Amino acid sequence: MGIVAHVDAGKTSLTERLLYAAGVIDRVGRVDDGNTQTDSMDLERKRGITIRSAVVSFALGDLPVNLIDTPGHSDFIAEVERALSVLDGAVLVISAVEGVQPQTRLLMRTLSRLRIPTLLFVNKIDRVGARYDELLADIKRLLTPAAVPMVGVTDLGTRSADLVALDDEPLAEMLAERNDDFLERYLAGGPLDVAGELRRQVAKAWVHPVYFGSAMTGVGGTRGDRRHPVMVASGHWIG
Ligand SMILES: Nc1nc2c(ncn2[C@@H]2O[C@H](COP(=O)(O)OP(=O)(O)OP(=O)(O)O)[C@@H](O)[C@H]2O)c(=O)[nH]1
Ligand SMILES: [Mg+2]
């Protein structure tokens, strides 16, 4: 699993959060304090930037996971390219404030070309100036029309920003556009395995679910009783 983004979007902070959520570490380090797992070189810790791709390996149940935190600075692009060639899946991180940036577009183009299953994670929803609707529109216009939001956000742009469940309808509609059998069942009002179909279409890199959260406050994932994938590794879905 690769975590990729434009510089400063929060890749290292998100990686740290994921390690915490997976039970690998029992304290969340901070880039600004120079104590994260993946910014481990002296220069990285001093400058608060990632220079080298770093892999952290752990198990989720029986499933081995190799999480790769990549650099965002364009000087270190070779490090990212090397990582891309081994990925089973990617999380493309976008800052809710800065939005879609040049490196974001470049990465999405490359991930699409390589048909790597890619989730989008809009980070920093706690920061002043964080956007939702406008950013989703930018994502669809500049990155991929096949982007679909998985959660809504309350108190956007504040420390108490949180997630709310969304209606499944737009998601089902988007999936129906890409699978005739699913479309037939959708039109007939029949029982729909939305989560299963989403998994299949994400694995084929046909659709890109958009998650929202904050690596800083730890808000993320989904809300309500939806059980949708948040990570992929070796063709298996986790979460
Ligand atoms: N408010 C807020 N700040 C964040 C969040 N995530 C990261 N930051 C801050 O944003 C800055 C960059 O975070 P990093 O995690 O180093 O970002 P990065 O994408 O790994 O940066 P590079 O590897 O250098 O490209 C740091 O000052 C973080 O503390 C977030 O969710 N909310
Ligand atoms: Mg980093």
Side-chain angles (χ1 to χ4, degrees):
M1 285 279 311
I3 315 281
V4 297
H6 191 91
V7 66
D8 252 10
K11 298 170 291 293
T12 301
S13 305
L14 176 64
T15 303
E16 191 75 8
R17 273 287 163 188
L18 290 173
L19 290 176
Y20 179 75
V24 179
I25 53 176
D26 49 23
R27 210 183 134 262
V28 182
R30 293 172 53 115
V31 170
D32 315 86
D33 297 338
N35 60 357
T36 62
Q37 297 296 307
T38 48
D39 276 354
S40 58
M41 286 161 59
D42 278 351
L43 194 59
E44 292 181 312
R45 295 192 154 191
K46 239 192 310 218
R47 302 267 304 275
I49 55 163
T50 304
I51 296 169
R52 281 218 197 119
S53 291
V55 188
V56 273
S57 302
F58 54 94
L60 280 184
D62 292 338
L63 185 69
V65 178
N66 300 300
L67 200 56
I68 310 179
D69 174 23
T70 64
H73 198 287
S74 52
D75 284 357
F76 314 128
I77 190 79
E79 281 288 305
V80 187
E81 278 165 3
R82 211 170 13 243
L84 289 180
S85 63
V86 302
L87 294 185
D88 292 321
V91 177
L92 180 60
V93 183
I94 302 165
S95 161
V97 181
E98 278 81 16
V100 175
Q101 297 176 280
Q103 191 72 9
T104 324
R105 299 178 70 170
L106 200 76
L107 284 161
M108 189 71 211
R109 264 204 302 275
T110 309
L111 290 163
S112 300
R113 183 164 44 79
L114 298 172
R115 295 213 178 83
I116 296 173
T118 300
L119 315 180
L120 307 182
F121 180 74
V122 176
N123 189 33
K124 307 196 185 187
I125 60 166
D126 61 295
R127 259 184 61 196
V128 176
R131 298 168 299 149
Y132 186 93
D133 289 326
E134 195 194 330
L135 183 51
L136 265 177
D138 279 353
I139 288 173
K140 287 185 181 235
R141 190 168 53 88
L142 300 170
L143 296 181
T144 165
V148 60
M150 303 300 291
V151 279
V153 179
T154 57
D155 295 317
L156 184 66
T158 73
R159 286 290 294 182
S160 44
D162 207 345
L163 306 180
V164 284
L166 287 182
D167 182 20
D168 256 352
E169 196 66 24
L171 173 60
E173 239 172 64
M174 171 159 295
L175 296 173
E177 280 172 27
R178 289 165 177 79
N179 176 344
D180 289 342
D181 292 341
F182 190 84
L183 175 64
E184 261 173 44
R185 281 197 300 281
Y186 175 75
L187 294 175
L192 290 175
D193 176 15
V194 175
E197 185 59 24
L198 176 68
R199 250 187 326 263
R200 277 188 289 278
Q201 294 199 18
V202 172
K204 289 179 172 154
W206 288 354
V207 296
H208 303 286
V210 185
Y211 295 88
F212 288 80
S214 164
M216 192 64 89
T217 66
V219 168
T222 52
R223 284 298 180 274
D225 53 8
R226 291 170 129 194
R227 293 264 168 112
H228 293 325
V230 292
M231 283 200 246
V232 64
S234 309
H236 300 278
W237 286 94
I238 313 158

